[in-house]
Amino acid sequence: MARYFLQRGVSRIELPLGDFLLGRDDACDCPLQSHLVSRRHAVVHVGPQQAVIEDLDSRNGVLVNGEPLREPRPLAQGDRVYIGAEWIHVLVAPTLAPRTLAAPPTCAACGAPLTIRDVRCRACGAGESAVPHSGERVSSRRIRPRAATVDFDALATQQHDALELLAGVARKSIDRGRYEDAQRLVAPQLEAMLERRAQQDRSAVESDRSERSYRARRFNQGVELALELAAGVEPGRWIDWVLRMHIAEGRVMAVETVDALHLLVRQCGYHDRTTIERYLGWLHAGADAMTPADRFALRRIEGLAGVIAA
């Protein structure tokens, strides 16, 4: 039998056998106070051999390791469950099998039971030759199964990218026109990503091919999300985020991104020239080393700066 735990931040909850409800309702076993969470959002069916999570037709769904939960799914050690704006780690602690200690010794002459202190058989009086001694206390009682020692901090510490796992839920909210819900969900991750990129040593990253690929993927995902948010909530904030992210990454903006910003700037009347002028300053400083495609993009960005300044 295994013991299952849900780790929420520094809180850890052991799941008892039976159904364990997660949702916004106070009657749930694990109340989650978020408007993105349904009253009865999901249930974990906990049995002696496995725990299975099921989505209870919730409004915003459940993600397990970044994948939408479409049918009941067994949980395993290290799984990451996202409900609303919260991520929950699944921890599994195996238990040791029960063990039975040796039976009490008996007299070799008559078979009568002995205690470890006996030097003679109390039934027949036989001496030491008939009385076996193990040199240690023996008991016939059955020992309860004991949980194996588990380093929960090590189990809970796993690399994860919250933005990647939450992006699908955020886009689902955007598709339904709930831009503020989507922003509440991913804004902390987007701002944290920008802060990390601004503080990192770009030259060290460029020397690591796998890290470059990872950063490029996350960069594109972040820019796409910011542009989608800008179409429905706080456009100035997210236009500025896109510009600052390009500065932090040291990237020439893709023409498609410039076109999207052109449209957003005209729609919302964005006129803050500070960030675009800073970005242009960086671009002009490296213009001599640009490819023809980059120079074309630079001209489009200069046009965008003109629209912002108008």
Side-chain angles (χ1 to χ4, degrees):
M1 177 177 173
R3 298 166 63 196
Y4 287 84
F5 299 80
L6 297 182
Q7 179 94 27
R8 295 176 58 204
V10 297
S11 301
R12 184 180 306 129
I13 307 169
E14 182 169 3
L15 304 184
L17 292 176
D19 289 344
F20 189 88
L21 282 170
L22 301 98
R24 198 174 72 249
D25 197 310
D26 290 338
C28 289
D29 300 294
C30 181
L32 302 172
Q33 301 305 322
S34 169
H35 66 285
L36 297 173
V37 178
S38 300
R39 291 189 177 278
R40 290 166 55 91
H41 200 105
V43 61
V44 181
H45 306 288
V46 185
Q49 303 302 325
Q50 67 176 357
V52 177
I53 188 168
E54 179 181 0
D55 185 358
L56 298 177
D57 295 325
S58 61
R59 185 181 64 180
N60 289 312
V62 177
L63 298 179
V64 179
N65 300 330
E67 299 177 356
L69 182 65
R70 305 190 188 285
E71 58 185 21
R73 167 175 174 163
L75 292 172
Q77 163 61 29
D79 279 348
R80 300 185 302 271
V81 178
Y82 279 72
I83 295 178
E86 291 203 44
W87 58 266
I88 302 170
H89 270 113
V90 177
L91 308 177
V92 183
T95 55
L96 301 178
R99 59 192 179 94
T100 303
L101 298 183
T106 57
C107 174
C110 69
L114 302 169
T115 70
I116 194 65
R117 300 183 184 86
D118 290 335
V119 295
R120 286 183 170 277
C121 176
R122 298 181 183 184
C124 68
E128 292 184 4
S129 61
V131 180
H133 289 287
S134 64
E136 62 183 40
R137 186 175 299 277
V138 182
S139 172
S140 62
R141 65 187 179 88
R142 191 172 178 81
I143 305 299
R144 288 184 62 189
R146 181 168 50 88
T149 301
V150 178
D151 184 346
F152 284 105
D153 290 334
L155 293 177
T157 304
Q158 299 193 7
Q159 294 296 325
H160 66 277
D161 191 319
L163 179 61
E164 181 179 12
L165 296 174
L166 294 174
V169 179
R171 287 196 168 98
K172 189 174 180 181
S173 294
I174 289 173
D175 290 342
R176 295 176 177 177
R178 297 203 294 266
Y179 286 89
E180 291 184 356
D181 289 353
Q183 178 173 262
R184 271 190 287 268
L185 199 61
V186 296
Q189 284 74 32
L190 289 172
E191 296 294 0
M193 182 171 75
L194 176 58
E195 183 177 354
R196 286 195 304 270
R197 299 298 168 86
Q199 294 175 353
Q200 283 179 340
D201 182 353
R202 198 183 305 154
S203 61
V205 172
E206 289 301 320
S207 64
D208 187 331
R209 183 175 179 180
S210 62
E211 179 65 13
R212 288 201 310 271
S213 175
Y214 172 84
R215 283 172 69 98
R217 190 166 65 252
R218 294 297 174 267
F219 170 83
N220 291 332
Q221 183 178 59
V223 169
E224 289 172 4
L225 268 174
L227 292 173
E228 290 180 49
L229 289 172
V233 60
E234 293 191 66
R237 173 185 181 181
W238 297 113
I239 291 171
D240 191 65
W241 187 95
V242 171
L243 294 170
R244 288 189 294 137
M245 177 56 78
H246 280 80
I247 295 171
E249 280 287 292
R251 291 176 182 267
V252 178
M253 191 176 292
V255 173
E256 294 81 6
T257 303
V258 180
D259 291 342
L261 288 177
H262 261 287
L263 180 62
L264 288 168
V265 165
R266 292 180 184 279
Q267 286 178 342
C268 73
Y270 177 86
H271 296 298
D272 186 346
R273 304 186 320 194
T274 305
T275 309
I276 189 67
E277 288 179 352
R278 182 179 161 208
Y279 183 40
L280 278 175
W282 176 82
L283 290 171
H284 287 147
D288 291 344
M290 284 184 177
T291 65
D294 287 344
R295 291 195 185 95
F296 175 74
L298 174 56
R299 290 194 294 272
R300 297 296 300 274
I301 296 167
E302 289 171 338
L304 173 64
V307 174
I308 292 174

